[in-house]
Amino acid sequence: MYKGELIALSVAVSWMFSAIFFEIAGKRAGTLSLNILRLGMSIVMIGATTWFYTGHFFPVDAGSQAWFWLGISGVIGYILGDYCLFSSYILIGSRFGQLFMTLAPPSAALAGILILGEQMSGNAIAGMFVTLFGIGLSIVGRGGEENQTWHVSLPLKGILFAIGGGVGQGVGLVFSKLGMDYYLANIPSPDETTMFMIPFASTQIRAIIGFIGFLIVMFVGKRGRAFLLSLKDKKAFSAITGGTIFGPFLGVSFSLMAVQYTAAGIASTLMALTPVIILIPSYFIFKQKISIQEIIGAIISVGGVSLFFI
C-alpha cells in the first residue's frame, strides 16, 4: 500500500545527494562535460544491472513504440531539462535550482491530465499545493536576510534555466510513463523481475538518447577539447560518479518506478521534497544555519505529504 508514494520519497533523498555532487562537478567541469559523463556512466551502470537480472545489457525487448516515447522523454527531460537544471546550479546554486524544481509537479500533473487522461483526488490536489508552498517557504531566504529577495537578486539567465529544468523534468516524467506502458504491453507475460527492471531499462533508453544528443552538441559546438580536459579533473570525476549513482542510476530509475504505482503528479510532488530534505545535510555536514522560516516550511511540507495518505 502506498508503494509508489514511498518510492517517490526515497527518490527525493537520492536526488538530494545527486544535487550536491552535481553542483560541485558542474562548477569544475562545465554543464556539457557533466552531462556526457554522467549519462555515459549511467548507461553502463544500468546495463550491468539489467544484464545481471535479465541477461541483456540493453533493453532489446522494449519495442519501437517504447523507444519512441522514452526517446521523447529523454530529449525533454535530459537534453533540455537537465541541461537547464545543471546550468542553473552553476549560476544560482543547487539550492535555488532545486527550488524551481517545484515547477515539476504541476507540470507533470497538467501533462498527465492532457496526455494520459489522469485524474487527481481532492486530497491529492490539496496535498500537492500545500507541499509546494512548504517547499518554497523553506527555501526562501536560506542564505540570510540579504537573500530574502532571491526572486529579484538572482540573475535572469539562472532563473530561466531553472524554470526550464523544472518544467522539463515534469513533462519528461509523463512521457516516461507513457513509454513504460508501451514497454510493458510489448512483453507477453511479465514476471516480478521484469516489472522491477522495466524502470531501469527505460531509464537506460532515456540516457542513451540524452547521451547521443549531448555528443552531437559537443561536436557541433566544437567542445571536444574542453571535454577531454575535464576528464583530467579527479575531483570533478569523483563528484560526477557520486552524482550519477544517486541521480541517473538510482534516482531516475526509481522515479520511473514510482509513476508505475501512482499518478505522475503525486509522484512528482513527493519527489519535489528534495529542497526540504537537503536542509539536513546542510546543517549536520556543512554546519549551515537553518532559519525558523525553513523549519516552518519543512513542517508544512510534511503536512502536505500526509494528505496523500488520507
Side-chain angles (χ1 to χ4, degrees):
M1 196 173 183
Y2 303 122
K3 186 174 183 179
E5 288 83 353
L6 292 175
I7 293 174
L9 287 173
S10 70
V11 171
V13 176
S14 183
W15 280 347
M16 172 198 70
F17 289 108
S18 179
I20 294 172
F21 281 121
F22 282 151
E23 179 181 356
I24 296 172
K27 289 180 177 178
R28 296 183 67 91
T31 303
L32 184 59
S33 296
L34 166 59
N35 277 292
I36 292 174
L37 288 173
R38 76 182 183 93
L39 290 178
M41 289 179 185
S42 67
I43 291 171
V44 174
M45 291 178 185
I46 295 172
T49 303
T50 56
W51 179 81
F52 178 80
Y53 282 98
T54 67
H56 300 291
F57 189 87
F58 293 107
V60 294
D61 56 348
S64 59
Q65 288 182 307
W67 271 88
F68 176 77
W69 292 110
L70 289 168
I72 291 179
S73 174
V75 172
I76 296 174
Y78 279 158
I79 300 176
L80 299 178
D82 280 357
Y83 182 85
C84 289
L85 177 62
F86 296 141
S87 295
S88 74
Y89 283 179
I90 296 174
L91 294 170
I92 62 178
S94 61
R95 299 175 186 174
F96 292 113
Q98 284 296 314
L99 170 63
F100 282 94
M101 291 305 286
T102 58
L103 292 173
S107 298
L110 180 60
I113 293 172
L114 296 176
I115 299 172
L116 303 180
E118 293 182 342
Q119 295 182 346
M120 298 182 67
S121 68
N123 283 342
I125 294 174
M128 180 175 69
F129 285 105
V130 171
T131 300
L132 292 176
F133 175 76
I135 291 172
L137 186 63
S138 68
I139 296 295
V140 173
R142 287 183 59 179
E145 291 187 6
E146 68 276 9
N147 287 333
Q148 292 293 328
T149 56
W150 61 269
H151 56 284
V152 176
S153 61
L154 295 179
L156 178 61
K157 188 176 181 180
I159 293 175
L160 294 177
F161 272 131
I163 291 173
V167 174
Q169 185 186 77
V171 177
L173 186 66
V174 173
F175 279 105
S176 294
K177 184 169 186 177
L178 183 60
M180 285 191 297
D181 288 341
Y182 280 108
Y183 197 149
L184 183 61
N186 195 59
I187 300 175
S189 301
D191 54 19
E192 186 175 344
T193 300
T194 301
M195 291 293 294
F196 177 76
M197 292 311 302
I198 282 179
F200 286 90
S202 298
T203 301
Q204 190 185 47
I205 292 175
R206 299 179 72 216
I208 290 171
I209 299 302
F211 182 75
I212 293 173
F214 282 118
L215 283 180
I216 293 174
V217 172
M218 181 183 71
F219 285 115
V220 172
K222 298 180 180 180
R223 301 286 301 277
R225 181 177 176 80
F227 172 72
L228 293 176
L229 289 174
S230 68
L231 295 177
K232 299 179 180 180
D233 191 328
K234 294 182 179 179
K235 290 184 178 179
F237 191 82
S238 297
I240 292 173
T241 301
T244 299
I245 293 173
F246 287 106
F249 179 49
L250 295 178
V252 177
S253 295
F254 281 107
S255 73
L256 299 189
M257 189 179 296
V259 298
Q260 281 188 314
Y261 298 100
T262 188
I266 294 175
S268 190
T269 301
L270 295 176
M271 289 185 283
L273 283 170
T274 299
V276 175
I277 299 174
I278 205 171
L279 292 172
I280 299 174
S282 295
Y283 178 79
F284 287 103
I285 298 176
F286 301 112
K287 308 301 181 182
Q288 296 176 352
K289 294 182 179 180
I290 299 177
S291 68
I292 297 297
Q293 181 175 328
E294 293 171 329
I295 296 174
I296 294 174
I299 294 173
I300 293 175
S301 297
V302 173
V305 171
S306 67
L307 292 176
F308 289 97
F309 301 90
I310 297 176

